Amino acid sequence: MNAVEIKAEPLTKESFLPFGDVLEVEGAPSMKINDGRCDRFHDICRLSFEEGNAGISLFRSEASPMPYELTLFERHPVGSQAFIPMTSAPYLIVVAGDDNGQPAQPSAFMARGDQGVNYLKNVWHAPLIALQAGAVFAVVDRIGPGDNLQEHRMGRPFYVMA
Amino acid sequence: MNAVEIKAEPLTKESFLPFGDVLEVEGAPSMKINDGRCDRFHDICRLSFEEGNAGISLFRSEASPMPYELTLFERHPVGSQAFIPMTSAPYLIVVAGDDNGQPAQPSAFMARGDQGVNYLKNVWHAPLIALQAGAVFAVVDRIGPGDNLQEHRMGRPFYVMA
């Protein structure tokens, strides 16, 4: 049995657009505030929280050994989910389109520690893959009733190279 | 004329409770996720977005000279506002209760770079006071129609000591 390997590419707004948004300071700000002392990059995510509300949680993760053995995808059918790094720690992102209710061919991205990411609702993604122990992320996702988690176990693992 | 000075105290959840929430990793997590590799501190903010929705923006600020000359308070009548540091930079917080539509006696807090903060709606607060140039914060606040900003210029400045 051949192992399937994918190599992470650098995370950019353009390449990630079908899956979600990259939260990064780039280009010209939307406006100046606070008497010109502060740049505001305004409303840069496509948030969505059906039958629920936005909440903020904190995630603190162990480091995942590399290459990452990807065995599980998840998605959130009724809510987007944003990850904002608070410890400048890089992390690995794996996403996939949908193929009849299962993840299609995955794509992997290497996120810098100054890049947040927002998964659109219902986008298949790997669980948080931190590259440093004790990495902390603020997570903006849906708080509400009902089931907002679907999981898919892979028949055989992918190996993701950072 | 005597200058009025206030000294910032360390930011803690307890002391900040009347004004909002502190976003920090502390104590036992709400749950373990990702096969036990990640701690989730669940839904730790009192968010509120009336007649609007949550949005995520990024703020990039210059450093403010110290002591900080506080001349302006603001508040957001129909939305909470959370600041999540992305560059581990400490910052200064000044808040005040309300006294007939004006800020009452201010309180100042020194936030560490690993502490976020969420202002409850309608709480008087100073604009973002960064202590390092280029400090970046993810801001979760209300995106919606109508006016969500009230400002109050102080008759004479307060000087805030970090």
Side-chain angles (χ1 to χ4, degrees):
Chain A
M1 186 180 106
N2 291 327
V4 181
E5 296 182 355
I6 50 176
K7 177 87 178 81
E9 56 180 285
L11 179 67
T12 67
K13 285 187 183 184
E14 293 69 26
S15 53
F16 197 67
L17 203 61
F19 308 107
D21 311 296
V22 178
L23 292 77
E24 66 183 327
V25 162
E26 196 194 51
S30 315
M31 61 195 86
K32 289 267 188 185
I33 58 173
N34 297 354
D35 291 329
R37 286 184 294 105
C38 187
D39 296 324
R40 180 169 180 142
F41 300 80
H42 183 70
D43 194 18
I44 58 175
C45 283
R46 291 166 285 172
L47 301 182
S48 168
F49 309 107
E50 295 175 9
E51 296 171 33
N53 295 297
I56 303 179
S57 302
L58 298 185
F59 284 18
R60 180 181 55 196
S61 185
E62 297 176 10
S64 292
M66 291 293 123
Y68 181 75
E69 185 179 299
L70 175 64
T71 57
L72 177 73
F73 271 100
E74 61 183 52
R75 64 177 176 179
H76 309 295
V78 288
S80 57
Q81 188 177 42
F83 288 80
I84 299 160
M86 292 181 71
T87 47
S88 300
Y91 56 107
L92 199 52
I93 290 168
V94 190
V95 285
D98 184 73
D99 181 8
N100 288 307
Q102 298 190 3
Q105 177 67 26
S107 301
F109 298 97
M110 189 69 223
R112 301 189 314 263
D114 62 349
Q115 291 178 312
V117 72
N118 178 54
Y119 299 112
L120 299 181
K121 73 174 175 187
N122 221 26
V123 164
W124 289 112
H125 60 275
L128 177 59
I129 309 170
L131 301 187
Q132 291 178 13
V136 177
F137 295 79
V139 174
V140 181
D141 65 2
R142 175 187 173 275
I143 308 296
D147 192 9
N148 187 27
L149 174 65
Q150 292 179 359
E151 292 183 328
H152 180 82
R153 295 255 165 210
M154 310 295 283
R156 61 177 187 176
F158 278 80
Y159 291 91
V160 187
M161 316 301 203
Chain B
M1 185 181 105
N2 291 327
V4 181
E5 297 181 355
I6 50 177
K7 177 88 178 80
E9 57 179 283
L11 179 66
T12 67
K13 285 187 184 186
E14 294 68 26
S15 53
F16 197 66
L17 203 62
F19 309 107
D21 310 295
V22 178
L23 291 78
E24 66 183 326
V25 162
E26 196 194 50
S30 315
M31 61 196 88
K32 289 268 188 186
I33 59 172
N34 297 354
D35 291 329
R37 286 185 293 103
C38 187
D39 297 323
R40 179 169 179 141
F41 300 80
H42 184 69
D43 194 18
I44 58 175
C45 283
R46 290 167 285 172
L47 302 182
S48 168
F49 309 107
E50 295 175 9
E51 295 171 33
N53 295 297
I56 304 181
S57 302
L58 297 185
F59 284 18
R60 179 181 56 197
S61 186
E62 295 176 12
S64 292
M66 291 293 122
Y68 181 76
E69 184 181 299
L70 174 64
T71 58
L72 177 72
F73 271 100
E74 60 183 52
R75 63 177 175 178
H76 310 294
V78 288
S80 56
Q81 188 177 43
F83 288 79
I84 300 161
M86 292 182 69
T87 49
S88 300
Y91 56 107
L92 198 53
I93 291 168
V94 190
V95 285
D98 185 73
D99 181 9
N100 288 308
Q102 297 189 5
Q105 177 68 24
S107 301
F109 298 96
M110 190 69 222
R112 302 189 313 262
D114 62 350
Q115 290 178 313
V117 74
N118 178 54
Y119 299 113
L120 299 181
K121 73 175 175 186
N122 222 25
V123 164
W124 288 113
H125 59 275
L128 177 59
I129 309 169
L131 301 187
Q132 292 178 11
V136 176
F137 295 79
V139 175
V140 181
D141 64 2
R142 175 187 173 276
I143 308 295
D147 193 8
N148 187 27
L149 175 64
Q150 292 180 0
E151 291 183 329
H152 180 82
R153 295 255 165 211
M154 310 294 283
R156 62 177 186 177
F158 278 81
Y159 292 91
V160 187
M161 315 301 205

